[in-house]
Amino acid sequence: MDEAGTSCSSLEPRAAAARELLLAALEDLSQEQLKRFRHKLRDAPMDGRSIPWGRLERADAMDLAEQLTHFYGPEPALDVARKTLKRADVRDVAARLKAQRQQQYKKKYREHVLRQHAKVKERNARSVKINKRFTKLLIAPETAALEEAPLGLAEEPEPERARRSDTHTFNRLFQRDQEGQRPLTVVLQGPAGIGKTMAAKKILYDWAAGKLYQGQVDFAFFMPCHELLELSGTRSLADLILDQCPDRGAPVRQMLAQPQRLLFILDGADELPATGTAEAAPCTDPFEATSGTRVLGGLLSKALLPSARLLVTTRTAAPGRLQGRLCSPQCAEVRGFSDKDKKKYFYKFFQDEWRAERAYRFVKENETLYGLCFVPFVCWIVCTVLRQQLDLGQDLSRTSKTTTSVYLLFIASVLSSTGADGSWVQRELRKLCLLAREGVLRRKAQFTEKDLEKLELRGSKVQTLFLCKKEMPGVLQTEVIFRFIDQSFQEFFAALSYMLQEEGAPGAPTGSVGSLLRTDTELSGHLALTTRFLFGLLSTERIRDIEHHFGCVVPERVKEDALRWVQGQGCPRTASEGTEDTEELEEEIEEPNIPLELLYCLYETQEDAFVRQALSSLPELALERVRLSRMDLEVLSYCVRCCPAGQALRLVNIGLAAAQEKKKKKSLVKRLQGSRASTKQLLGSPLRPLCEAMTDQQCGLSSLTLSYCKLPDVICRDLSEALKVAPALTDLGLLHNRVSEAGLRMLSEGLAWPQCRVQTLRVQLSGLPGALQYLVGMLRQSPALTTLDLSGCQLSDPTVTYMCAVLQHPSCSLQTLSLASVELSELAQQELKAVKTAKPDLVIIHSELDSHPEPPRGFNSVL
């Protein structure tokens, strides 16, 4: 029974494999069993047809195998034989045939996957072997990525927490937890271009090569979400599985009958629309023909094949949007290249050792550019630009230093290689940017030939340079679609469109920068990278580059609109600080933090004056219950360095990645002027970049509050050193933090430093009542401190006695002491009353003391 459109060349290997299986099964039968099989086979019609008895009556095992394959076709013949064996009461042979058929197809499918995924296309459409191009990435498991103690260092060394992506690490993704439970959903998250898709494809390839999940996964399927979401018509999960099989005769029903043996790799799940719409209702039947959104939604929510394994990739900003869909996910963070792997990538890319060494040495000496290369896609762009500059004999120093500038230089380099004149570049670039912009705003990543024809881009040079072409199977005919060579390029071109927009020009896109930035919150995560690129293009240097490379004049209102938008932002309200848990962060808090995204935008400009002006309308920067990566902390530190006078920073229940020491980097102790040399060097704390930023002479940060944070000694040491010389810091709040006695002593040393400018100190500390003596003791030495709030602290009688003695010391300049909600003994109260008598100008706030003045206006006695 021939299938329409199936060629003889593709049918024969399948027929030979089927005959081999049938012959092996039938030769195991006795003569009596074989006779019974022939009689049962005569009565086994398929589609109303059965093999004539004349062909069966005297047929031996070999003849029967040939007759079955020829009459029914390879796969149906195996089904008919298995059912007939069961009817002939030879169930053991039927079961063995089923198992052998499944085993044969497993091998066949693995070989197919190895052929299909042995090579990957680079962004310039060149195909390379995946094992040759893949460079190992750092992957942090859930314990490191999601459960770090607030502001604390990891208990185990960093190399053990973030592991390189080898087969051992990939196998650990689905390992059992401490309670013996194996996760069925694993989420690989990371920023754009970090290598999530490449890692997912390598996992599929290594599985097919027999290196991963042996004895656990029989079939693995790679499903790019963006393609499935844009498929025309309806498809079932079974259809999608068939699309990935080597032929349409795959035993899909048998595959789906054992969902616990299946692995689905859903790449780019952040492309799915938000939950709550009728369209997003998950599919529950693997054979129901429906939209890609419902099929993917069913897999993610476990409404569809709940026992199947899922490996999901998503951008870092998007896990919060997926939380409503996912069922008990285990997360891991893709952190990109280690320093060692950066070098390996350069040598793999250039192949020529001399050129690789020259390019790598140049990037290594450029600290900012070297830091950006932890993202594989940025590393590829940098290498591509450097290779072109080496080919042309150009100065490598032209290479830029921020993500936006690297992308801009790459595009300029590619366009200049065409040799086209400026007017052509302007015209074609505007068209391409418009295509990108329309796609981003409509959440569309795939474009048809009609989309390109509408903008006169089909067949153009920019199409071949920046768009990749792919043929997709359609209902009636093959459909040709186009995508940008990387999703981040589409987002970059969309941002660039606002810089190249000509007012009043025919065909010019509608919508201003303000309309993009005011997009509703549902699209904020989707537009985050586009917005970052836009701010990166707003710097004076980038505008000058755009005008130089493309001959375009950027309207001044673009930068003005962006500045007005930032100045119109306010810090969102945060939850009550008194209800936080100091032990760990709540797992459900995964939503993108709006202030942090805003700081990323400002960071990308690298224009201090613009950032300072933008921050002037945000008197307080508040980050609550978020986990800050090293890049997050770099962004925050840069913005703090640019703070205008009077700026406040409040960090509540913050988690930090462990610090990674860099060679040749001076310690904060040595860098700060007037600081004492440390006799014992501690490892750098994760908060060191922020502490360094606070000491910058241009930093106007006047208030810092740390609440519900774990403050190890290394953090207290760095913070203490910063307090000594911070030029504008006058208000410090340390509220409900976990700090050791040694840490409190170090902080007291910083506050007592002659150049320390802190005037108001707010401390709420549970436990360590004796350690407060260090803070009290520094009152004799601190020249600037005038207000001390110890509300809610536990003060022992000896501590109060010591404090009263210090308060009466001639060098103590304290003016206000708040002891609200502090339990005091009768003896302590009497001693404090004596201090008030001796120093009538000193304001002491406590409910049990005699009449006292109201606290100064604007001073919060309880925080």
Side-chain angles (χ1 to χ4, degrees):
M1 184 176 62
D2 295 336
E3 294 179 12
T6 303
S7 65
C8 294
S9 59
S10 64
L11 185 62
E12 183 52 38
R14 291 157 49 199
R19 282 194 299 268
E20 183 180 346
L21 286 177
L22 290 169
L23 182 60
L26 295 175
E27 284 182 340
D28 284 346
L29 303 182
S30 65
Q31 287 298 319
E32 180 60 30
Q33 289 172 331
L34 190 63
K35 178 180 178 182
R36 194 159 61 246
F37 176 83
R38 288 196 295 263
H39 281 85
K40 295 295 182 182
L41 183 61
R42 178 183 58 181
D43 302 325
M46 183 173 180
D47 293 336
R49 299 190 309 139
S50 59
I51 302 176
W53 175 245
R55 300 182 189 177
L56 298 176
E57 186 176 7
R58 299 184 181 279
D60 59 13
M62 184 174 293
D63 292 335
L64 286 171
E66 181 66 36
Q67 288 291 341
L68 281 164
T69 307
H70 178 75
F71 190 85
Y72 291 112
E75 284 75 24
L78 292 169
D79 287 331
V80 170
R82 182 176 59 82
K83 293 176 182 177
T84 304
L85 286 168
K86 291 174 69 176
R87 292 171 59 232
D89 200 24
V90 196
R91 295 181 178 275
D92 57 334
V93 178
R96 193 158 56 247
L97 175 61
K98 179 180 178 181
Q100 289 173 343
R101 182 190 180 190
Q102 289 177 340
Q103 196 61 37
Q104 184 189 65
Y105 197 83
K106 291 175 192 175
K107 180 181 177 182
K108 178 180 180 180
Y109 180 76
R110 286 177 184 270
E111 292 171 349
H112 173 71
V113 170
L114 287 175
R115 288 192 301 271
Q116 292 293 109
H117 296 274
K119 291 186 176 183
V120 291
K121 278 193 174 183
E122 292 196 320
R123 275 83 179 186
N124 55 9
R126 183 180 63 170
S127 293
V128 293
K129 292 182 178 179
I130 190 170
N131 283 333
K132 184 178 180 182
R133 172 56 71 227
F134 181 75
T135 303
K136 294 177 181 178
L137 307 168
L138 289 177
I139 296 182
E142 183 179 40
T143 52
L146 296 181
E147 296 181 357
E148 292 168 354
L151 279 181
L153 290 171
E155 294 182 0
E156 55 183 336
E158 177 70 11
E160 290 298 314
R161 294 180 68 80
R163 298 176 174 87
R164 299 176 76 217
S165 54
D166 52 18
T167 53
H168 179 66
T169 302
F170 289 150
N171 267 316
R172 288 171 60 95
L173 292 175
F174 286 98
Q175 72 177 355
R176 296 185 185 276
D177 59 21
Q178 294 179 348
E179 298 177 355
Q181 299 297 315
R182 189 186 300 278
L184 293 179
T185 300
V186 173
V187 178
L188 284 182
Q189 60 189 47
I194 199 72
K196 302 181 295 295
T197 298
M198 180 66 81
K201 288 183 176 180
K202 188 65 165 60
I203 288 173
L204 178 69
Y205 186 82
D206 284 351
W207 166 81
K211 299 177 182 179
L212 294 178
Y213 317 131
Q214 291 307 294
Q216 303 172 30
V217 175
D218 291 339
F219 296 95
F221 307 101
F222 185 86
M223 296 191 167
C225 294
H226 58 263
E227 292 184 9
L228 301 185
L229 292 173
E230 297 188 19
L231 282 174
S232 58
T234 58
R235 310 292 290 277
S236 67
L237 178 62
D239 293 330
L240 299 178
I241 289 174
L242 270 177
D243 290 342
Q244 300 198 29
C245 293
D247 55 70
R248 304 299 292 182
V252 176
R253 289 190 177 274
Q254 288 90 327
M255 293 179 188
L256 294 172
Q258 292 185 299
Q260 73 277 8
R261 311 283 297 180
L262 304 180
L263 168 63
F264 294 93
I265 301 175
L266 307 184
D267 184 45
D270 46 288
E271 298 278 351
L272 269 73
T275 56
T277 64
E279 175 63 22
C283 174
T284 58
D285 181 0
F287 296 98
E288 178 190 356
T290 183
S291 66
T293 300
R294 294 192 63 231
V295 172
L296 294 174
L299 287 172
L300 286 169
S301 65
K302 292 296 182 180
L304 184 60
L305 305 184
S307 59
R309 299 186 188 207
L310 299 182
L311 179 67
V312 181
T313 72
T314 178
R315 290 187 178 181
T316 303
R321 297 180 64 245
L322 290 176
Q323 286 301 315
R325 297 180 181 274
L326 298 176
C327 181
S328 302
Q330 175 170 294
C331 298
E333 179 186 358
V334 183
R335 294 184 176 175
F337 289 150
S338 66
D339 289 350
K340 181 179 179 181
D341 291 324
K342 289 177 189 177
K343 186 173 184 179
K344 282 187 176 182
Y345 184 89
F346 271 75
Y347 277 80
K348 283 185 177 182
F349 184 92
F350 285 95
Q351 297 181 344
D352 178 81
E353 186 173 346
W354 178 84
R355 288 156 65 89
E357 180 62 30
R358 186 178 175 191
Y360 177 75
R361 189 181 304 150
F362 165 76
V363 173
K364 183 75 180 290
E365 291 172 356
N366 185 327
E367 185 175 349
T368 305
L369 190 60
Y370 186 68
L372 290 174
C373 284
F374 83 96
V375 179
F377 184 59
V378 175
C379 200
W380 175 80
I381 291 178
V382 170
C383 288
T384 302
V385 171
L386 291 177
R387 181 171 60 188
Q388 183 174 1
Q389 291 176 344
L390 286 171
D391 290 343
L392 299 175
Q394 295 176 343
D395 183 7
L396 296 185
S397 63
R398 287 181 53 207
T399 306
S400 304
K401 300 179 181 180
T402 66
T403 306
T404 303
S405 56
V406 167
Y407 273 63
L408 186 61
L409 181 58
F410 173 80
I411 291 169
S413 299
V414 170
L415 289 175
S416 65
S417 66
T418 64
D421 59 38
S423 60
W424 178 88
V425 169
Q426 285 185 41
R427 185 174 62 254
E428 297 300 303
L429 191 59
R430 282 194 174 99
K431 294 177 183 177
L432 188 68
C433 289
L434 179 56
L435 181 73
R437 179 167 160 181
E438 291 180 348
V440 165
L441 294 177
R442 297 176 183 176
R443 301 183 68 115
K444 180 178 180 181
Q446 297 183 164
F447 305 94
T448 65
E449 292 178 302
K450 288 184 178 179
D451 293 328
L452 270 63
E453 288 173 355
K454 180 181 176 182
L455 294 171
E456 300 178 353
L457 280 172
R458 186 181 179 188
S460 69
K461 190 67 175 178
V462 292
Q463 177 216 301
T464 58
L465 290 173
F466 298 109
L467 298 177
C468 54
K469 180 180 178 181
K470 186 174 183 179
E471 294 184 350
M472 300 286 290
V475 178
L476 299 177
Q477 60 183 5
T478 300
E479 183 180 3
V480 178
I481 62 167
F482 298 87
R483 290 179 56 86
F484 282 84
I485 55 178
D486 188 84
Q487 180 66 26
S488 61
F489 265 114
Q490 180 177 347
E491 290 159 313
F492 179 84
F493 280 117
L496 187 59
S497 70
Y498 293 93
M499 310 298 289
L500 304 181
Q501 188 166 303
E502 289 183 299
E503 295 184 1
T510 59
S512 63
V513 168
S515 63
L516 170 70
L517 298 176
R518 289 190 297 270
T519 304
D520 62 19
T521 55
E522 196 279 321
L523 287 176
S524 293
H526 174 62
L527 294 174
L529 189 57
T530 301
T531 305
R532 287 190 202 175
F533 278 136
L534 176 63
F535 274 83
L537 293 170
L538 291 177
S539 71
T540 302
E541 188 176 352
R542 296 290 78 75
I543 290 176
R544 187 163 54 244
D545 289 342
I546 291 172
E547 293 177 346
H548 169 71
H549 292 308
F550 310 132
C552 306
V553 177
V554 178
E556 293 183 4
R557 63 170 180 77
V558 176
K559 195 168 186 176
E560 295 170 355
D561 287 349
L563 181 60
R564 274 196 299 270
W565 175 76
V566 175
Q567 292 176 335
Q569 301 300 302
C571 290
R573 296 176 62 185
T574 57
S576 171
E577 294 173 359
T579 60
E580 301 299 331
D581 182 2
T582 60
E583 293 297 325
E584 62 181 359
L585 300 179
E586 295 292 335
E587 291 187 4
E588 66 269 15
I589 302 301
E590 295 291 344
E591 289 297 329
N593 191 280
I594 296 175
L596 191 56
E597 277 300 315
L598 182 63
L599 298 184
Y600 261 99
C601 294
L602 297 177
Y603 171 83
E604 196 64 25
T605 67
Q606 290 294 300
E607 190 167 291
D608 296 2
F610 179 86
V611 175
R612 190 169 292 109
Q613 187 177 2
L615 290 176
S616 63
S617 62
L618 303 175
E620 182 185 64
L621 300 176
L623 297 177
E624 179 177 359
R625 300 170 78 189
V626 294
R627 299 171 181 86
L628 300 180
S629 66
R630 294 193 191 94
M631 191 64 207
D632 294 337
L633 198 57
E634 178 71 24
V635 168
L636 177 60
S637 301
Y638 170 76
C639 292
V640 166
R641 185 175 288 111
C642 298
C643 275
Q647 190 87 51
L649 173 64
R650 182 158 54 94
L651 303 179
V652 182
N653 207 349
I654 298 297
L656 295 180
Q660 190 174 39
E661 287 292 290
K662 294 182 179 180
K663 296 180 180 179
K664 299 181 181 179
K665 188 171 182 66
K666 295 181 180 179
S667 68
L668 181 63
V669 178
K670 293 181 179 179
R671 199 181 70 82
L672 299 177
Q673 296 180 352
S675 61
R676 290 183 286 204
S678 174
T679 58
K680 182 179 180 181
Q681 290 294 321
L682 297 174
L683 290 175
S685 78
L687 207 62
R688 173 173 287 186
L690 180 61
C691 293
E692 290 180 336
M694 289 164 52
T695 66
D696 192 286
Q697 292 304 305
Q698 301 301 315
C699 174
L701 186 71
S702 63
S703 176
L704 172 65
T705 302
L706 299 175
S707 300
Y708 294 93
C709 296
K710 178 183 176 184
L711 302 179
D713 292 349
V714 287
I715 286 182
C716 292
R717 188 280 313 270
D718 281 351
L719 184 56
S720 174
E721 295 297 330
L723 292 174
K724 295 176 181 179
V725 293
L729 191 66
T730 58
D731 183 287
L732 177 64
L734 302 172
L735 311 179
H736 305 287
N737 299 298
R738 292 171 56 190
V739 59
S740 71
E741 185 172 326
L744 207 57
R745 184 175 64 248
M746 284 186 278
L747 290 172
S748 300
E749 291 175 358
L751 290 164
W753 198 257
Q755 285 75 39
C756 179
R757 292 176 169 82
V758 174
Q759 299 172 14
T760 299
L761 174 62
R762 297 164 289 126
V763 178
Q764 291 181 357
L765 185 65
S766 57
L768 297 176
L772 286 173
Q773 63 181 326
Y774 300 115
L775 285 176
V776 172
M778 64 86 189
L779 293 176
R780 290 181 299 183
Q781 301 169 280
S782 176
L785 193 66
T786 59
T787 301
L788 176 62
D789 180 7
L790 298 178
S791 299
C793 292
Q794 299 175 16
L795 299 181
S796 64
D797 283 354
T799 300
V800 174
T801 299
Y802 177 57
M803 180 170 61
C804 290
V806 171
L807 290 173
Q808 296 183 70
H809 195 278
S811 62
C812 178
S813 57
L814 196 70
Q815 298 174 11
T816 302
L817 172 65
S818 176
L819 301 176
S821 303
V822 176
E823 294 184 7
L824 296 175
S825 68
E826 288 293 333
L827 176 61
Q829 293 179 37
Q830 293 302 320
E831 291 179 323
L832 286 168
K833 288 177 181 179
V835 171
K836 289 185 69 174
T837 301
K839 298 186 72 170
D841 292 336
L842 175 64
V843 176
I844 301 180
I845 303 170
H846 189 273
S847 59
E848 297 299 326
L849 297 181
D850 290 337
S851 59
H852 56 266
E854 291 297 321
R857 187 177 181 182
F859 173 71
N860 296 320
S861 60
V862 180
L863 294 174

